Amino acid sequence: MTTIIGIEYDDKSVIIADSRVTGDDGRIYSHPIMRKIAQRGAILMAGAGEVGPCDIAQNIWMPPTFGAKDAKDPYRYLVTKAMPSLRKCLTDNGYNFEEDKKDGTRFQFLMAVGGELFDIDEELTVIKSNDNLYAIGSGGAYALGALYAGAEPMKAMEIAAQLSVYTFPPFYVEEQKK
């Protein structure tokens, strides 16, 4: 359970994540080594949902090289190169895409590549927002609503933490320049 927001600006993308991790047994953790944002090659990514696929993607997966041609179309790079590579890595490391969803979304990622931000769902579908605002995780709707209401990003995270027991500071911020 998590709150992660992403904002794409003219010159960079910013990802902000909380630090609360909840086990399947309901136990709550907030250890600083369990960061939800990771740099994987040219991709800055954050994951919400099931720990298994998030750990595999953020600690084992090595995305394909992001070359000059890819920089012209980061969306195409994600769809044609990165997502097939991630699917193979997840499958090779025991993740079962065919398993039934437990209670809704199994996992979701925000990924910045070439300074552009994308939402990646559990089927590894790549989505681009029209308004450059993204939010995932159990507190994502609260944070996104706060952003739409004009809150600054850190205030939006604080609001999500007030409304979702699964969101807790400290909040970590990473950015990727275009």
Side-chain angles (χ1 to χ4, degrees):
M1 305 297 180
T2 293
T3 299
I4 299 171
I5 61 174
I7 303 164
E8 185 178 327
Y9 298 98
D10 290 338
D11 62 339
K12 65 184 174 184
S13 286
V14 176
I15 298 175
I16 305 170
D18 77 314
S19 58
R20 178 150 289 170
V21 178
T22 309
D24 285 342
D25 61 359
R27 292 179 57 201
I28 296 173
Y29 306 91
S30 191
H31 196 283
I33 67 165
M34 296 187 297
R35 302 279 300 262
K36 297 177 183 177
I37 306 173
Q39 185 73 46
R40 302 302 300 155
I43 296 175
L44 179 66
M45 67 181 304
E50 292 179 9
V51 174
C54 291
D55 281 349
I56 293 167
Q58 293 178 299
N59 295 290
I60 298 172
W61 178 51
M62 196 60 210
T65 302
F66 183 73
K69 186 176 178 182
D70 299 315
K72 294 177 183 174
D73 192 351
Y75 173 79
R76 182 171 174 74
Y77 163 81
L78 285 174
V79 170
T80 63
K81 294 181 180 178
M83 292 307 99
S85 168
L86 179 55
R87 179 176 294 278
K88 181 176 182 342
C89 182
L90 287 166
T91 302
D92 288 351
N93 285 281
Y95 183 76
N96 181 358
F97 280 93
E98 303 305 318
E99 185 177 309
D100 287 338
K101 296 179 188 180
K102 293 178 185 173
D103 294 315
T105 303
R106 294 178 66 190
F107 69 85
Q108 193 170 4
F109 297 116
L110 291 184
M111 292 186 182
V113 62
E116 290 190 41
L117 203 53
F118 300 89
D119 185 335
I120 313 297
D121 71 10
E122 64 199 16
E123 296 299 324
L124 302 182
T125 302
V126 180
I127 301 165
K128 184 81 173 149
S129 168
N130 288 332
D131 57 14
N132 297 329
L133 298 177
Y134 300 81
I136 62 174
S138 57
Y142 300 122
L144 190 60
L147 289 170
Y148 279 129
E152 293 295 320
M154 290 306 270
K155 182 63 177 175
M157 291 296 289
E158 290 170 9
I159 290 168
Q162 289 175 350
L163 299 172
S164 172
V165 69
Y166 300 111
T167 301
F168 199 76
F171 305 124
Y172 296 101
V173 180
E174 298 288 341
E175 65 179 51
Q176 185 182 77
K177 302 254 186 232
K178 288 192 179 181

